[in-house]
Amino acid sequence: MISSPYLLCLGIGWVKRKILVLDLDETLIHSHHDGVLRPTVRPGTPPDFILKVVIDKHPVRFFVHKRPHVDFFLEVVSQWYELVVFTASMEIYGSAVADKLDNSRSILKRRYYRQHCTLELGSYIKDLSVVHSDLSSIVILDNSPGAYRSHPDNAIPIKSWFSDPSDTALLNLLPMLDALRFTADVRSVLSRNLHQHRLW
């Protein structure tokens, strides 16, 4: 684990360590809860873990499925970036999911939830300036374009994941994330419409 806020980029000097903001639902995991009549996961597919949370004084069980390769992905990118969770979900749920994904590795320490989003036209917008004032060093990975509407030049979209066991989207992003950490301003790369292409 690299603890220094700076990374040595050979040939061009020091480059500040960047922040990778990660969405949870349909980006890193998919879940459904008790009472869902038609869960999107194939019948008989066991969840990776079950969360029991109390919402409005009612106990609710969430059956959580991890996107393929998510554990390896987090292990690798945590060595390159400071990782931040930013979800539009309620904190009681999002915190429990993040704890499971972190798995006592202390790589998902900073977290933002629904109360940190801005509600606009019925959708939750994630303001990246809440995470850090320097937007040149922040990348957001999210399956919902509406979530990063305020910062499209900081975004890497990813296809929504529900149950496909052969999905490789997270693995496919590693080369780009590896290169992006050495740029002076991530927006100079991400604003070139590269994020409109199919990256999965």
Side-chain angles (χ1 to χ4, degrees), residues 85-121:
V85 168
F86 204 153
T87 175
S89 299
M90 290 184 292
E91 181 170 352
I92 192 168
Y93 162 82
S95 175
V97 171
D99 283 346
K100 284 288 191 180
L101 290 176
D102 186 282
N103 195 25
S104 301
R105 291 178 291 180
S106 296
I107 59 175
L108 299 175
K109 288 182 283 195
R110 287 179 63 195
R111 304 168 185 184
Y112 298 86
Y113 307 100
R114 181 172 296 177
Q115 68 264 32
H116 301 106
C117 297
T118 304
L119 187 58
E120 204 174 278
L121 300 174

Side-chain angles (χ1 to χ4, degrees), residues 2-66:
I2 302 169
S3 58
S4 168
Y6 291 91
L7 289 169
L8 178 61
C9 181
L10 296 176
I12 61 170
W14 293 95
V15 176
K16 193 163 63 170
R17 193 166 198 227
K18 293 176 176 59
I19 299 168
L20 179 59
V21 177
L22 299 166
D23 174 49
L24 292 179
D25 289 288
E26 282 69 70
T27 296
L28 299 184
I29 58 105
H30 171 69
S31 73
H32 60 276
H33 58 80
D34 289 324
V36 173
L37 295 177
R38 301 168 110 192
T40 51
V41 178
R42 292 186 186 119
T45 305
D48 288 292
F49 53 89
I50 299 173
L51 299 176
K52 298 176 182 178
V53 299
V54 177
I55 300 175
D56 295 331
K57 299 182 180 177
H58 296 287
V60 181
R61 286 191 307 168
F62 286 92
F63 302 88
V64 184
H65 299 259
K66 295 194 291 189

Side-chain angles (χ1 to χ4, degrees), residues 61-182:
R61 286 191 307 168
F62 286 92
F63 302 88
V64 184
H65 299 259
K66 295 194 291 189
R67 190 170 197 149
H69 313 292
V70 66
D71 292 325
F72 176 74
F73 175 82
L74 290 174
E75 184 65 40
V76 172
V77 294
S78 69
Q79 298 173 52
W80 299 341
Y81 293 84
E82 177 192 348
L83 302 186
V84 173
V85 168
F86 204 153
T87 175
S89 299
M90 290 184 292
E91 181 170 352
I92 192 168
Y93 162 82
S95 175
V97 171
D99 283 346
K100 284 288 191 180
L101 290 176
D102 186 282
N103 195 25
S104 301
R105 291 178 291 180
S106 296
I107 59 175
L108 299 175
K109 288 182 283 195
R110 287 179 63 195
R111 304 168 185 184
Y112 298 86
Y113 307 100
R114 181 172 296 177
Q115 68 264 32
H116 301 106
C117 297
T118 304
L119 187 58
E120 204 174 278
L121 300 174
S123 62
Y124 291 101
I125 312 295
K126 298 173 183 178
D127 181 1
L128 296 182
S129 64
V130 171
V131 177
H132 199 282
S133 58
D134 180 12
L135 293 178
S136 69
S137 63
I138 299 182
V139 179
I140 180 170
L141 180 63
D142 202 307
N143 70 301
S144 173
Y148 51 77
R149 189 184 306 156
S150 303
H151 307 285
D153 292 345
N154 293 84
I156 298 178
I158 188 168
K159 182 172 62 175
S160 297
W161 181 79
F162 296 97
S163 63
D164 179 9
S166 64
D167 180 89
T168 57
L170 292 175
L171 290 183
N172 296 349
L173 287 174
L174 289 175
M176 173 190 254
L177 287 168
D178 187 12
L180 200 57
R181 64 189 171 124
F182 295 115

